[in-house]
């Protein structure tokens, strides 16, 4: 292999030969290099967020981003559970996570592009209209919540209920579901529809999509009434990049500001319930 100095000497020699012969240096017309793919980290079976058929709203936002940047879209697929960031973004298999909580400690986050909340889901025919975590009816109704691991008491709504003495009538549904089946997180919403439980409490973007696709009409209300900041019921959502990738963060911030109306249309199409992005979120 030639050293740098040898390559420079060779280049000078070519120029010298051309000049000595009285001929101009040749200009080679090469085709422009293809842009590098936009590599997105995503779960292949996590509707309504993403799947490997490209049907989720984060898939749609990724396509919008790739088109805006005029780059081809590529995915690194990995189940979105413990170790996801380490196995994808930190392993340099990909460069962008489309949806992470604002100020998420494992990544560098962009400005948030939406805010959503946990929601109550009930059957419209029951006319429960529950929107307050302190509603006394929650002491007797059958309540379903998503569980992480074996202990459902690790999600904010379940902790808030437990503090109010609502424990024995809560049923946990794994947030991961049966990963061998499509839409594994849907079982909690199905349980409201088919009468296994009276009320579900779920993360809004997940609930909003599945509520649209249940046979019976379901109602959704943001969870209110919790004043402890440690048990936040709403979160701003941003995009995530590696902590040292300030350039990509700036690129994504520009995209979010420029195409926010288009992103909103995607979220509307998927039924994502949203709250105003707060001024301290740093969002649009």
């Amino acid at each position: 292999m030639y050293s740098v100095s040898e390559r420079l000497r060779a280049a000078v020699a070519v120029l010298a030969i051309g000049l000595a012969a009285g001929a101009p240096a040749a200009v080679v017309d090469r085709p422009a290099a293809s842009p590098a793919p936009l590599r997105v980290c995503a779960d292949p079976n996590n509707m309504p967020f993403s799947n490997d058929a490209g049907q989720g709203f984060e898939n749609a936002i990724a396509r919008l981003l790739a088109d805006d940047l005029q780059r081809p879209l590529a995915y690194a697929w990995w189940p979105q559970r413990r170790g996801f960031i380490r196995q994808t973004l930190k392993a340099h298999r990909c460069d962008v996570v489309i949806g992470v909580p604002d100020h998420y400690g494992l990544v560098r986050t962009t400005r948030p592009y939406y805010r959503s909340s946990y929601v109550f889901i009930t059957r419209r025919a029951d006319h429960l209209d529950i929107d307050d975590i302190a509603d006394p009816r929650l002491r007797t109704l059958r309540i379903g919540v998503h569980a992480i691991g074996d202990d459902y008491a690790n999600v904010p709504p379940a902790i808030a209920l437990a503090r109010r003495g609502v424990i024995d009538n809560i049923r946990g549904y794994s947030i991961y579901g049966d990963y061998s089946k499509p839409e594994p997180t849907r079982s909690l919403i199905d349980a409201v529809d088919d009468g296994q439980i009276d009320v579900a409490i779920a993360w809004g973007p997940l609930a909003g999509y599945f509520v649209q696709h249940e046979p019976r009409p379901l109602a959704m209300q943001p969870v209110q009434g919790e004043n402890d900041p440690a048990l936040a019921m709403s979160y701003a959502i941003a995009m995530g990049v590696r902590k040292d990738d300030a350039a990509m963060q700036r690129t994504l911030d520009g995209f979010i500001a420029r195409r926010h109306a288009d992103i909103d249309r995607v979220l509307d199409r998927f039924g994502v319930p949203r709250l105003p992005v707060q001024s301290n979120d740093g969002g649009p």
Side-chain angles (χ1 to χ4, degrees):
M1 181 177 292
Y2 293 108
S3 68
V4 173
S5 60
E6 288 170 332
R7 288 198 297 270
L8 287 172
R9 284 196 295 272
V12 171
V14 170
L15 287 173
I17 292 169
L19 289 171
V27 176
V28 179
D29 187 12
R30 294 188 178 92
S34 299
L38 175 72
R39 303 186 305 163
V40 172
C41 325
D43 190 316
N45 187 22
N46 190 30
M47 286 295 286
F49 304 96
S50 64
N51 67 11
D52 55 9
Q55 296 171 320
F57 71 80
E58 290 184 357
N59 293 122
I61 292 170
R63 285 194 299 273
L64 188 66
L65 172 60
D67 289 346
D68 185 86
L69 300 180
Q70 298 184 348
R71 294 170 62 177
L73 178 61
Y75 281 101
W77 300 113
W78 198 271
Q80 196 158 343
R81 50 190 70 189
R82 184 172 295 177
F84 175 76
I85 296 296
R86 175 170 49 81
Q87 295 288 350
T88 56
L89 196 64
K90 288 187 175 181
H92 288 258
R93 291 188 171 98
C94 45
D95 306 304
V96 180
V97 182
I98 297 296
V100 296
D102 188 27
H103 301 303
Y104 184 44
L106 295 181
V107 302
R108 186 185 193 107
T109 55
T110 65
R111 61 192 294 169
Y113 61 96
Y114 75 97
R115 172 178 281 275
S116 193
S117 72
Y118 282 96
V119 295
F120 290 107
I121 305 116
T122 57
R123 292 176 291 276
R124 286 192 183 277
D126 292 345
H127 302 290
L128 291 173
D129 300 321
I130 294 174
D131 64 1
D132 195 311
I133 199 73
D135 191 311
R137 292 174 293 173
L138 294 173
R139 295 182 177 276
T140 56
L141 293 170
R142 297 169 298 168
I143 305 169
V145 296
H146 270 134
I148 301 172
D150 297 327
D151 181 5
Y152 64 74
N154 51 19
V155 294
I159 297 171
L161 289 171
R163 286 183 177 180
R164 292 164 171 81
V166 181
I167 298 173
D168 294 338
N169 53 324
I170 296 180
R171 178 176 176 184
Y173 291 77
S174 173
I175 188 63
Y176 305 124
D178 184 348
Y179 201 75
S180 67
K181 298 178 180 178
E183 302 181 342
T185 60
R186 182 174 178 167
S187 59
L188 173 59
I189 317 304
D190 287 344
V192 180
D193 178 75
D194 63 22
Q196 294 179 46
I197 56 177
D198 303 307
V199 184
I201 308 176
W203 176 232
L206 183 153
Y209 176 76
F210 290 126
V211 161
Q212 294 182 124
H213 294 86
E214 290 292 348
R216 298 171 184 81
L218 301 180
M220 245 182 0
Q221 295 283 353
V223 176
Q224 301 180 54
E226 178 53 63
N227 298 318
D228 185 348
L231 292 180
M233 296 294 165
S234 71
Y235 296 88
I237 301 301
M239 299 182 190
V241 300
R242 278 181 292 279
K243 287 194 172 185
D244 61 356
D245 199 350
M248 178 58 81
Q249 179 202 11
R250 289 192 295 270
T251 296
L252 297 178
D253 279 341
F255 163 76
I256 291 168
R258 190 168 57 248
R259 304 298 296 272
H260 193 70
D262 296 315
I263 295 171
D264 275 347
R265 280 189 280 273
V266 171
L267 299 174
D268 286 342
R269 192 167 75 244
F270 281 81
V272 176
R274 302 193 296 287
L275 301 172
V277 175
Q278 299 171 359
S279 58
N280 59 357
D281 291 331

